[in-house]
Amino acid sequence: SIGPRNQLRFCCSNFASAMPEGGLDFPLDKDGKRPTTTVNQGAFTAAVKAHSKEAHEAVANEKKWRFGYVKHVVRQTQLAATSEETALGIARDGLDYLHSTMDFSRDGTSMPLKEAMN
């Protein structure tokens, strides 16, 4: 019988192979992989940059993002709660970063998400 861990692998590998090529992708790095941590940290860095120098530096200097991001989510939420203008600015700046960073592909052609949305 297939154990729970192998069931998950089997399920996910079959699901991934059934998915059509194309759509939204994390950008390729220099090794041809699509890591998520760098993009996630970059989005949080960009989101708070114009709103708090302290928060921006803390996010940018976080060495273990995968395990240390929670305090930055809390700080960003606290900043956003200070005013509607700040909340909208944080959202806009984070989305601008993602639109410029993420890739969109279809029919073998890849482009920045921002370009695909135009």
Side-chain angles (χ1 to χ4, degrees):
S1 123
I2 298 175
R5 188 175 237 170
N6 288 330
Q7 284 177 342
L8 179 60
R9 268 192 218 130
F10 177 77
C11 170
C12 292
S13 65
N14 284 339
F15 179 73
S17 64
M19 301 260 317
E21 294 281 328
L24 190 60
D25 289 316
F26 283 87
L28 288 169
D29 67 7
K30 62 182 176 14
D31 298 323
K33 296 180 181 176
R34 297 187 185 276
T36 60
T37 300
T38 306
V39 174
N40 286 318
Q41 187 171 6
F44 275 85
T45 303
V48 297
K49 184 176 184 178
H51 308 282
S52 169
K53 181 179 178 183
E54 177 188 321
H56 174 259
E57 289 176 359
V59 173
N61 294 322
E62 179 65 58
K63 300 294 184 215
K64 296 183 179 183
W65 180 254
R66 191 173 214 180
F67 303 101
Y69 71 91
V70 172
K71 63 184 169 254
H72 303 291
V73 172
V74 170
R75 181 65 184 128
Q76 181 176 312
T77 303
Q78 290 169 334
L79 284 170
T82 61
S83 73
E84 181 178 350
E85 181 181 341
T86 301
L88 292 172
I90 287 171
R92 181 191 58 245
D93 296 343
L95 285 171
D96 283 348
Y97 172 86
L98 291 171
H99 290 164
S100 298
T101 304
M102 298 295 286
D103 292 332
F104 181 81
S105 60
R106 179 170 286 153
D107 300 327
T109 302
S110 185
M111 66 189 78
L113 177 59
K114 189 175 221 168
E115 185 180 322
M117 290 173 45
N118 289 332

